[in-house]
Amino acid sequence: MENGQSPVAPDLSNSLAHRSLVDAQVSKPLSPTEPKSPRAHKSSPSKSISLPEKKLETKRPKQAIPISAVDGQVHSNAPTSKTSSQSTLPDHIIHRNQLFDELKRRHDVEILEKEHHEINVTLDLGVDKDGKPRPLMPVAAKAWESTPGLFLRHVDKDISADVVIAKVDNKELWDLDRPLEYACQIRYIPFSSPEGRNVFWHSSAHVLGEAAECQYNCLLSHGPPTEQGFFYDMAIADNQVVKETDWAPLESKASKFTKEKQPFERLHVSIADLKQMFGYSKYKMYYIENLLPPDGSTVYKCGTLVDLCLGPHIQNTGKIKAFQITMNSSCYFRGDKNDDSLQRIYGVAFPDKKQLVEHKKFLEEAAKRDHRKIAKDQELFFFDELSPGCVFLLPHGTIIFNALQKLLRFEYQKRGYQEVQSPNMYDVELWKKSGHWQHYQDDMFSLEVEKRKWALKPMNCPGHCVIFGHRERSYRELPLRMADFGVLHRNEASGALNGLTRVRKFQQDDTHIFCTQEQITQEIEGLFDFLKCIYGLFGFPFKLKLSTRPDKYLGDIETWNIAEAKLKEALDTFAAHGGGQWELNEGDGAFYGPKIDIEISDALRRDFQCATIQLDFQLPQNFELEYMTAETSAKAKPDAVVEPRSDAGATSSKPKTLGPGRARPVMIHRAIIGSFERFMAILTEHFAGKWPFWLSPRQVLVIPVMPSVNDYVEEVQRLLRAQKMHADIDISGNTMQKKIRTGQLQQYNFIFVVGAQEQESRSVNIRNRDDQNTQSKGDLVPLAEAIHKLKALKKERRLLNTI
């Protein structure tokens, strides 16, 4: 998961055979919940950049190569030539661009020669201002000629002004100026949507790449969008390091390019031509030789930049009205500390200058809420290089952690879950059986003990399969809801580690439900109720997305159709009861089953994916899990999951035929808060360190007016602690006002100030953290009454800090 640990078992189809530029983040927009990119590290001079020893086979003239094929070093004295847009450009860029132009000319001729037959196209214009769906609009169109951008003239300006990209048949993002190829339905995606922002920022990264090439004569690596903008990685000659003084010239160049309204031109290029086009760059060659399919890939051109890229992009650079460099650092190519050190430049851009002003205010508020800063102020946790990525939870942080676990255990008991504990370390044969070892071993910690190879568990699902299968199971035991808070380890790259949001050691509210196919709908409905309960306690709105069968999947279509239908039924029922509309995300399911992804929104309206619900038909087959059915005399029936259609991460063993009265369970992976560590980071920033009373590690601070009442202060503390409240006292030599101010800065929910009058009447004067009207002496509250109200506030887990 995005920006943190995946809440349950990952999709294991991400083998090298199935990787693409998307996995390397060469081009495709990053998901805001789970970004993948070479890991940034602290800014430092780049180490020398060496090309592969073999010479690159290209048809370019030798003088056009700015990098010596003999010594493999980047040289600053590469030959340059004049261009119309920039004063100087290296010959390899001129050669690259000329090759693109020639290939593009041939492509355009081919398009003109195609049959431009009429196709049926309809426009889905979303909902109106009242939230009602607009009727579909049919438009006249021709294949290989009509573009989504052409139809914007039929769309109201209030819609078209914010459009960034089109989406065809609710599946594929499509450039507005790319000709349509078949009959389809078009939906327009605005900048205000996550998909629209990703495309816009991805295009802005290309503008940054163009500016960097012109300024540094550098070798570009890749430039994806991020949650808050975009970046571009590059190797600069002579180990040059980007400085803050470089930002203004880069911004000036970017401004020039946006005013030129440079169009984004798309072209599919063969592997052979890609090698000619990018043979000067070891970085592009790595992507071409290792990550691309045999038939090649697309490249995009804007201005003088031609880049290896899947796209899609905005129509032209003129859509970018505000562009700003935000920071720079160093990073490792491919996130490997043993590989080249590159320079990374971050930026952000918007279609309106006002949005940049608003974004700056947002960043200021986000900086104040940074969980790492608040953790230091409130002594919640810290990290140490003795164990990178493994958090040291301090007492106050542990209180929050335990409160979350207590909440979940309380709900587990109500909802029929059984908590288990499973080993932290397994023989790798378990992971081979589950399929994880073949595709996930690089992200696992492994070791050898007594001549056997072992691995620390990165997820709980295989262990839970072992628990289910260790004895005979009956249909009467189903659904079996198995919960586990076990410690997990994932070998995250050091540069990716980021506070609590990306760690190596973590715990999850991990649950696996074993049930029959007939029980799927009721179990999913129960999980929706669980989501509402938990997220409601924290004030998190959430939205649901159904991800359906991908191109490469395991099992038979009939089983997939049944599973997807059951998920849709549960989603529709949830929506009908006020749960909100859900989105369809076609083709993005896990290879072993469809899934529902749940995104929450925090106080800053940032989206995070914490929860996921995944149906899995494959693991029960891999582990040959079965149970006795009610029909013990039934005829033998084949397993519901058959041979995989493609190499998508399955084991090679054939499915076992089940005997009479036997059936295979369905496995539901589910997590609600996901990683405790990541969820704590989200909560810290959501509440800005002002914890709800039931979750707070600093609930009450008792302060004396004078030393003579210290005995009463200590008595009040004892009474509060007897009720399992986190109560502290301050009987130091500081003034009363300083003690109060310190307590306010530490975000105590309530500060009790007591003096002789309070001691005599056995009462307290209460200051409420969230009520300014209580920040001076008010009415005295009997101590017993105050304790009774605090107990109710804690028991009810109320968000508002009131008694």
Side-chain angles (χ1 to χ4, degrees), residues 7-18:
V8 293
D11 186 335
L12 301 179
S13 62
N14 188 25
S15 64
L16 183 60
H18 297 117

Side-chain angles (χ1 to χ4, degrees), residues 118-415:
E118 293 185 357
I119 54 176
N120 296 320
V121 173
T122 55
L123 305 183
D124 178 358
L125 302 180
V127 297
D128 58 23
K129 294 180 179 178
D130 298 323
K132 297 180 180 179
R134 290 186 171 94
L136 297 177
M137 178 188 295
V139 292
K142 290 186 177 181
W144 304 105
E145 180 177 333
S146 302
T147 66
L150 179 68
F151 305 131
L152 284 174
R153 62 189 179 185
H154 301 300
V155 180
D156 294 340
K157 287 186 178 180
D158 61 332
I159 299 175
S160 62
D162 195 33
V163 169
V164 170
I165 203 73
K167 197 168 193 178
V168 172
D169 291 336
N170 205 35
K171 292 181 180 179
E172 183 179 1
L173 291 176
W174 200 277
D175 303 85
L176 290 174
D177 288 339
R178 177 184 172 187
L180 297 169
E181 301 170 12
Y182 47 82
C184 59
Q185 185 177 106
I186 295 173
R187 184 162 63 92
Y188 292 108
I189 308 298
F191 176 81
S192 55
S193 72
E195 285 182 313
R197 281 195 301 274
N198 274 340
V199 170
F200 191 91
W201 283 339
H202 184 196
S203 300
S204 303
H206 278 237
V207 174
L208 173 59
E210 182 183 3
E213 276 195 342
C214 293
Q215 180 154 327
Y216 301 114
N217 286 348
C218 58
L219 298 181
L220 297 177
S221 172
H222 79 304
T226 66
E227 291 184 31
Q228 299 300 330
F230 52 88
F231 66 78
Y232 224 116
D233 291 346
M234 63 203 71
I236 308 177
D238 301 327
N239 298 332
Q240 184 179 344
V241 175
V242 175
K243 301 176 182 177
E244 191 168 344
T245 54
D246 297 341
W247 296 4
L250 285 168
E251 290 172 349
S252 177
K253 287 181 174 63
S255 177
K256 180 178 182 295
F257 301 153
T258 59
K259 290 176 182 177
E260 291 174 353
K261 297 184 178 179
Q262 301 170 350
F264 280 86
E265 301 177 80
R266 179 182 185 274
L267 181 66
H268 190 278
V269 181
S270 69
I271 292 292
D273 286 331
L274 285 173
K275 288 183 177 181
Q276 283 204 50
M277 191 174 287
F278 297 104
Y280 63 88
S281 171
K282 63 178 290 188
Y283 308 110
K284 301 299 183 185
M285 288 298 292
Y286 172 83
Y287 300 136
I288 293 168
E289 293 176 345
N290 293 281
L291 303 178
L292 294 186
D295 62 341
S297 182
T298 52
V299 296
Y300 277 79
K301 179 181 180 182
C302 69
T304 61
L305 177 69
V306 175
D307 204 3
L308 191 62
C309 179
L310 295 179
H313 285 287
I314 59 178
Q315 285 178 297
N316 62 70
T317 58
K319 302 290 184 181
I320 303 170
K321 303 300 183 184
F323 184 101
Q324 186 176 63
I325 305 298
T326 56
M327 66 176 291
N328 65 271
S329 69
S330 295
C331 66
Y332 295 118
F333 180 57
R334 299 186 301 134
D336 186 347
K337 65 181 181 180
N338 297 315
D339 217 318
D340 292 348
S341 180
L342 306 178
Q343 292 297 295
R344 174 173 294 180
I345 302 175
Y346 292 85
V348 71
F350 294 94
D352 189 315
K353 291 182 179 179
K354 293 180 180 178
Q355 291 171 308
L356 178 58
V357 175
E358 294 171 357
H359 181 71
K360 289 179 179 179
K361 293 179 180 178
F362 164 82
L363 291 180
E364 291 173 1
E365 180 61 28
K368 295 177 184 176
R369 292 170 177 257
D370 190 314
H371 72 281
R372 293 163 296 187
K373 176 182 179 298
I374 291 173
K376 184 176 181 180
D377 295 340
Q378 297 187 2
E379 294 188 281
L380 302 180
F381 66 84
F382 70 93
F383 288 91
D384 193 284
E385 281 303 308
L386 291 171
S387 186
C390 301
V391 66
F392 288 80
L393 276 182
L394 296 170
H396 289 118
T398 304
I399 287 172
I400 297 170
F401 185 97
N402 289 341
L404 292 173
Q405 274 200 353
K406 183 178 180 181
L407 165 66
L408 290 165
R409 284 194 168 105
F410 175 78
E411 290 296 328
Y412 285 167
Q413 189 173 23
K414 284 171 48 179
R415 298 170 186 272

Side-chain angles (χ1 to χ4, degrees), residues 677-697:
E677 288 77 2
R678 181 169 179 264
F679 196 68
M680 284 177 62
I682 294 171
L683 287 178
T684 304
E685 298 186 6
H686 177 61
F687 293 123
K690 295 184 177 181
W691 301 97
F693 185 78
W694 69 272
L695 197 57
S696 177

Side-chain angles (χ1 to χ4, degrees), residues 647-662:
D647 179 19
T651 57
S652 59
S653 59
K654 293 183 178 181
K656 176 185 175 182
T657 300
L658 296 174
R662 317 293 295 184

Side-chain angles (χ1 to χ4, degrees), residues 33 53 182:
T33 57
E53 293 181 2
Y182 47 82

